Amino acid sequence: MARYLLRRLAFLAVSLALASVVLFVLLRMLPGDPANALTAVGASPEQIAAARHSIGSDRPLPEQFTHWLGQLASGDLGTSFVSSLPVGPEVTARLDVTVPLTLAAFVLAVLVAVPAGFVAAYKRRTWYGALLSGVSQLGIAIPVFWLGMILIAVFALNAGWLPSGGFPQDGWSDPAEAFRALVLPVVTIALVMSASLIRYVRSATLDVIGSDYLRTARALGSSFGRAMWRHGLRNGAVPVISVLGIELASTLLGAVVVESVYALPGLGSLLATGIAQHDYPVIQGVLFVSTLAVLLIGFVADLVQRIIDPRLRGRLSGGAR
Amino acid sequence: MSTKKNVLYGTASAAALALTLTACGGSGGSSASGGTWDKDAVVNIGSLYEPQNLDNTAGGGQGVTEALNGNVYEGLFRLTDDGKVEKLLAQDYETSADGLTYTFTLQDGVKFHSGKELTSEDVKYSLEKVLADDSQSARKSNLEVVKDIATPDKRTVKITLSKKSISFVYNLSYVWIINSQAKELKTTEDGTGPYTLNKWTRGSALSLNRFAGYWGDAAANKQVVFHYYKDATALNNALLTNAIDVVTSEQSPDALEQFKSNGNYKVNDGDSTTKLLLAFNDKAKPFTDVKVRQAVSAAIDDKKLLESVWGGYGKQIGSMVPPTDPWYEDLTDVDAHDVKKAEKLLAEAGYAKGFSFTLDTPNYDPHPTAATFIKSQLAKVGITVKINTITPDEWYTKVYKNHDFTATLQEHVNDRDLVWYGNPDFYWQYDNPQVTKWVEQAEEASSTAEQTELLKKVNRQTAEDAASDWLYLYPQIVVANNKISGYPLNGLNSQFFAYDIKKTG
């Protein structure tokens, strides 16, 4: 296990390094000059050159890259070109919104999708089983911003129960207020996420139900519930967990849409602003942190799968089959 | 100043760019709801323009002007909501006979929020900050006539100019007086205004508290909070759910109906200074020919365009001058819509069968709509328009810097920006030596009457030359809850004075 962890961590480090190179190079290939944002209309070529110099965008790319890596190594995400404020605290502040939003949506989605997916599979011949399958299909087709707008119209504009958007200026210092602000965004994400999860859970459950080991267990006198509990759950969980990891990661990255619908000051909206302004340090900072998070999520998902299913241990360590 | 570049690349999202029409500001009042109001109310203001940082000489952008100008920082002068210049921190001033030396006396008993007393040193420091090499102030070039700043005593500032500048006092209304010892101006402040900064949460909100030690009349409310939105729908929803009391500048005409039909809100139709221009490259064929420019201007039905983009709002405009500029004259009759005349002019210019040109069109609203409209209008007189959609960045490099275009669409947000027609190197390359001379003479005029007279000539001449086609003047629409009154209606140059806002209940 220690060896596996070591390998996995090394893989993580290499992935992160590769991702940072790709990130850095791709950003520089975007059209547009960040110095434009820093000079007044009618700026002379000298002033524009001075602006480039002040942000270091006139230096050779490899030098800029090593500078950035050096900063990263010391835990510094650099300084925004546009606001000339440090990026690190900005990212941290935005995580206060994005992390609770993503995690709460994730937990809610799992709480909904696992039982619903199970029912959709086990009771697939009943009307409600079929309805669950149908609704989940529909859910996958719904764009997240559209769902957000509908929820705002119903629960904020008409009913007036919840705010239509925004986040308290004082953040979590009044948890109830902050929580209220996140209810609709969380539900929006969770609904869309659970729709696709239900399908995965359903098909994983169907696999288990039709499996030989379950039939054997039942033939040996075990009740369905007991057989599911002892054998089915574990086996069914393995594919679902990898999907969960992917879902969690994509929600984190996809928060930009929901954050903009609900005017939430999260990581996604920071990224959108950064991109519009060619603010490389901000874009790099956000993407780097997101990449790290996505890699960590994958790592944890792998680990959990291994713990649940001993057969994977050999395979995932990359050694003997 | 042309397009507001801080906005162009500051707030930068294409959407925000489209929204640069907030041009106005001032302390005028709206209809008072009468009766008593809550002196300790919190006023929530919704805006699309978040500051980049809190320093207006370091790329703070339009948002920082909206939130802090007049509220937190004050200048020697103030530009009121109807475009007049009033004394503020300057108690009085004198101009020397040659018009080159201005002597300002400061108000007595003014304190910065940190408690320090305002002195002439602070004025000198503040002006030098705008003029510094690394300053990104949009007004820097206007103030470069300043040759020397002397501070003979604590309450006197003596400024000498290198040449006469009638706009000097007006330009000073953009200079914030900052405590010369203040630090960290990008995230904190030290001004003399009626509010102090309470808290700025980036990406979310900025709140201001009434300053107990204010030298003038105290603010009519205890706290104002600017809430920032990236999306006009989210902003309107916030107003509908009472999360905010007022929207500084409504950008979505489609959204107005829901407020107009609701008795709880008031939709105010103010005057902006934002002009939508079809700018010709006056040095690129066939727009070198004044008849071609006139023909194109006459072929386009501006009224219909305005109607389709803004419904009943906004104004037709016959030149670069909005009604709030002192040298305004209604010139909509010059090159008014007349298809027959357009055809005749084209024939005279040798283009009886029309011609074809490329229109560089910024990719955000309303430009694509306007471009399509222009294309269909010009097709009627045989002119083929090829629409080339470009990003704000491309526009800046291709059109603004390199003058590599035939015609383009752009919005120009500032007041008093007619004078750009006096600069032959400006992106549209309009070159009329007489106009250049008038603009120079106007700036060196001895009286505002003389200045106004000269700029009126410029106004008429550029209109007759069809230097550009001024399509329309944007409306400035402030939508507010009926509970509040006293907010600015015109909002010149993005100002939004909050200290007169009264809230009931």
Side-chain angles (χ1 to χ4, degrees):
Chain A
M1 191 71 177
R3 212 178 108 129
Y4 162 75
L5 276 180
L6 222 61
R7 270 172 188 278
R8 205 62 183 71
L9 282 175
F11 172 73
L12 203 71
V14 171
S15 310
L16 199 59
L18 276 177
S20 63
V21 175
V22 173
L23 192 70
F24 187 88
V25 173
L26 281 184
L27 272 188
R28 264 58 184 186
M29 285 164 64
L30 283 178
D33 183 349
N36 280 349
L38 302 172
T39 47
V41 163
S44 65
E46 293 78 28
Q47 284 169 319
I48 292 168
R52 282 202 189 103
H53 186 73
S54 75
I55 57 175
S57 70
D58 58 343
R59 287 188 282 172
L61 278 190
E63 198 185 317
Q64 290 184 45
F65 183 62
T66 47
H67 178 70
W68 181 53
L69 282 191
Q71 280 181 326
L72 274 183
S74 60
D76 178 3
L77 290 181
T79 306
S80 158
F81 287 167
V82 177
S83 70
S84 24
L85 297 172
V87 175
E90 181 77 31
V91 168
T92 320
R94 303 293 183 117
L95 286 174
D96 280 355
V97 175
T98 302
V99 169
L101 171 68
T102 314
L103 287 183
F106 178 73
V107 170
L108 183 61
V110 171
L111 288 179
V112 171
V114 170
F118 181 79
V119 170
Y122 185 53
K123 299 283 184 185
R124 62 190 178 284
R125 285 186 238 286
T126 65
W127 66 269
Y128 53 90
L131 184 72
L132 272 174
S133 300
V135 168
S136 69
Q137 289 282 5
L138 191 71
I140 290 165
I142 291 180
V144 78
F145 69 89
W146 185 81
L147 181 62
M149 281 158 56
I150 297 292
L151 291 181
I152 289 174
V154 174
F155 295 101
L157 297 180
N158 282 336
W161 293 340
L162 292 160
S164 64
F167 197 69
Q169 198 193 1
D170 294 327
W172 288 93
S173 64
D174 182 352
E177 234 1 75
F179 182 75
R180 257 169 64 82
L182 287 187
V183 171
L184 285 182
V186 163
V187 170
T188 308
I189 300 178
L191 282 179
V192 171
M193 195 195 247
S194 61
S196 61
L197 276 181
I198 286 174
R199 292 182 63 222
Y200 286 113
V201 173
R202 180 179 180 269
S203 72
T205 312
L206 283 177
D207 279 353
V208 171
I209 290 174
S211 68
D212 293 344
Y213 59 79
L214 201 78
R215 205 172 30 203
T216 310
R218 294 210 63 184
L220 290 172
S222 188
S223 70
F224 176 79
R226 219 179 128 76
M228 266 316 256
W229 182 250
R230 276 189 61 96
H231 309 284
L233 215 59
R234 274 195 173 203
N235 283 292
V238 172
V240 171
I241 282 168
S242 80
V243 172
L244 285 181
I246 294 167
E247 283 287 325
L248 181 59
S250 65
T251 302
L252 185 73
L253 298 176
V256 57
V257 178
V258 169
E259 284 175 8
S260 92
V261 170
Y262 288 100
L264 291 174
L267 212 53
S269 54
L270 180 63
L271 179 65
T273 317
I275 290 172
Q277 297 171 333
H278 297 297
D279 200 342
Y280 295 158
V282 168
I283 309 172
Q284 281 167 193
V286 175
L287 289 183
F288 184 81
V289 170
S290 318
T291 310
L292 182 65
V294 169
L295 288 170
L296 282 176
I297 291 167
F299 175 59
V300 171
D302 272 2
L303 213 62
V304 173
Q305 281 179 317
R306 279 171 56 89
I307 291 166
I308 292 176
D309 189 348
R311 286 171 303 173
L312 292 175
R313 285 179 200 162
R315 209 167 79 212
L316 280 182
S317 64
R321 269 159 211 277
Chain B
M1 191 64 217
S2 83
T3 63
K4 196 167 229 170
K5 199 167 137 247
N6 286 344
V7 179
L8 238 123
Y9 296 98
T11 38
S13 86
L17 227 180
L19 313 174
T20 47
L21 56 104
T22 54
C24 335
S27 65
S30 76
S31 64
S33 51
T36 53
W37 77 93
D38 179 5
K39 288 189 174 64
D40 287 330
V42 175
V43 177
N44 293 296
I45 300 168
S47 169
L48 292 165
Y49 311 107
E50 186 179 14
Q52 303 298 325
N53 61 51
L54 302 185
D55 187 345
N56 75 339
T57 64
Q62 176 177 5
V64 74
T65 303
E66 184 175 86
L68 301 192
N69 194 47
N71 295 323
V72 169
Y73 287 109
E74 297 179 308
L76 291 176
F77 297 87
R78 153 168 61 203
L79 187 67
T80 64
D81 201 34
D82 47 6
K84 292 197 178 66
V85 179
E86 269 178 4
K87 285 178 271 195
L88 189 57
L89 289 178
Q91 192 184 62
D92 209 352
Y93 74 103
E94 275 174 16
T95 317
S96 64
D98 62 2
L100 290 178
T101 307
Y102 288 75
T103 309
F104 301 93
T105 314
L106 303 181
Q107 292 280 4
D108 210 7
V110 177
K111 281 199 167 62
F112 285 103
H113 300 146
S114 58
K116 204 198 87 172
E117 194 191 340
L118 167 75
T119 68
S120 52
E121 277 304 320
D122 300 310
V123 176
K124 181 173 154 75
Y125 167 84
S126 302
L127 194 51
E128 282 170 349
K129 194 166 177 296
V130 172
L131 291 166
D133 283 343
D134 61 351
S135 157
Q136 291 171 48
S137 166
R139 295 285 153 175
K140 186 179 168 183
S141 59
N142 301 106
L143 289 164
E144 271 163 359
V145 289
V146 171
K147 197 169 81 179
D148 182 62
I149 310 166
T151 53
D153 64 58
K154 272 169 75 174
R155 281 186 61 209
T156 310
V157 186
K158 206 169 169 181
I159 300 176
T160 313
L161 307 183
S162 55
K163 59 178 182 187
K164 276 167 74 176
S165 170
I166 188 95
S167 311
F168 181 57
V169 163
Y170 161 79
N171 288 331
L172 282 179
S173 69
Y174 293 98
V175 178
W176 290 355
I177 305 305
I178 293 164
N179 181 356
S180 55
Q181 286 153 20
K183 306 242 164 23
E184 302 292 334
L185 287 171
K186 283 173 184 157
T187 50
T188 62
E189 55 88 13
D190 198 0
T192 59
Y195 296 99
T196 60
L197 175 70
N198 174 46
K199 190 173 180 187
W200 177 34
T201 313
R202 295 193 64 205
S204 171
L206 185 150
S207 54
L208 308 175
N209 288 348
R210 183 160 57 203
F211 174 47
Y214 184 55
W215 63 277
D217 295 336
N221 50 66
K222 186 177 152 194
Q223 189 184 48
V224 289
V225 186
F226 285 84
H227 298 267
Y228 298 109
Y229 298 85
K230 292 200 165 51
D231 177 77
T233 311
L235 181 63
N236 292 329
N237 287 343
L239 186 61
L240 286 169
T241 53
N242 292 323
I244 55 174
D245 300 309
V246 56
V247 169
T248 58
S249 175
E250 186 58 67
Q251 302 301 334
S252 162
D254 300 338
L256 294 174
E257 207 41 56
Q258 62 189 333
F259 295 112
K260 266 164 58 180
S261 59
N262 186 331
N264 295 326
Y265 301 94
K266 186 164 174 14
V267 177
N268 301 280
D269 188 7
D271 277 328
S272 84
T273 53
T274 302
K275 291 111 339 200
L276 181 66
L277 257 65
L278 165 60
F280 310 114
N281 183 343
D282 292 9
K283 289 243 165 72
K285 276 194 172 169
F287 297 120
T288 43
D289 190 333
V290 61
K291 285 183 176 162
V292 175
R293 301 198 300 257
Q294 286 168 338
V296 169
S297 301
I300 300 169
D301 187 348
D302 298 344
K303 192 176 171 194
K304 209 168 151 191
L305 173 64
L306 181 61
E307 189 60 38
S308 70
V309 177
W310 274 104
Y313 295 89
K315 281 191 175 64
Q316 275 190 270
I317 192 165
S319 75
M320 193 66 166
V321 185
T324 40
D325 280 358
W327 30 91
Y328 173 74
E329 234 178 325
D330 183 357
L331 296 174
T332 41
D333 286 347
V334 183
D335 295 323
H337 179 53
D338 184 343
V339 177
K340 286 223 167 64
K341 185 181 153 202
E343 281 167 346
K344 187 170 152 269
L345 283 164
L346 279 177
E348 282 172 25
Y351 293 102
K353 289 186 179 154
F355 60 91
S356 145
F357 74 94
T358 302
L359 181 61
D360 286 323
T361 307
N363 61 0
Y364 52 91
D365 283 339
H367 304 102
T369 316
T372 314
F373 180 85
I374 289 167
K375 182 178 174 143
S376 73
Q377 293 270 298
L378 293 185
K380 291 177 188 164
V381 293
I383 300 172
T384 311
V385 179
K386 280 179 268 176
I387 297 173
N388 177 35
T389 307
I390 56 179
T391 64
D393 236 355
E394 283 175 279
W395 188 88
Y396 183 66
T397 308
K398 181 178 190 282
V399 178
Y400 187 79
K401 272 193 197 156
N402 299 338
H403 305 168
D404 172 22
F405 73 108
T406 311
T408 187
L409 287 170
Q410 186 54 268
E411 55 200 352
H412 287 246
V413 302
N414 283 330
D415 63 333
R416 303 193 177 190
D417 55 5
L418 169 71
V419 292
W420 284 110
Y421 287 98
N423 178 357
D425 298 327
F426 201 60
Y427 80 90
W428 49 52
Q429 305 198 87
Y430 170 72
D431 187 1
N432 182 333
Q434 179 64 62
V435 165
T436 305
K437 204 169 166 193
W438 280 334
V439 168
E440 277 169 12
Q441 286 171 344
E443 190 53 26
E444 296 189 26
S446 306
S447 68
T448 47
E450 190 186 337
Q451 176 197 25
T452 304
E453 200 47 47
L454 283 158
L455 289 179
K456 274 190 174 165
K457 285 188 188 173
V458 172
N459 192 15
R460 181 162 287 278
Q461 188 63 51
T462 49
E464 281 168 0
D465 283 347
S468 307
D469 184 18
W470 302 273
L471 297 166
Y472 61 74
L473 186 72
Y474 285 58
Q476 162 70 14
I477 302 173
V478 177
V479 185
N481 195 307
N482 282 339
K483 282 181 189 158
I484 67 163
S485 59
Y487 44 85
L489 300 178
N490 296 327
L492 291 173
N493 301 305
S494 317
Q495 298 179 138
F496 198 84
F497 299 152
Y499 40 76
D500 285 336
I501 301 181
K502 293 171 182 172
K503 193 173 175 180
T504 54

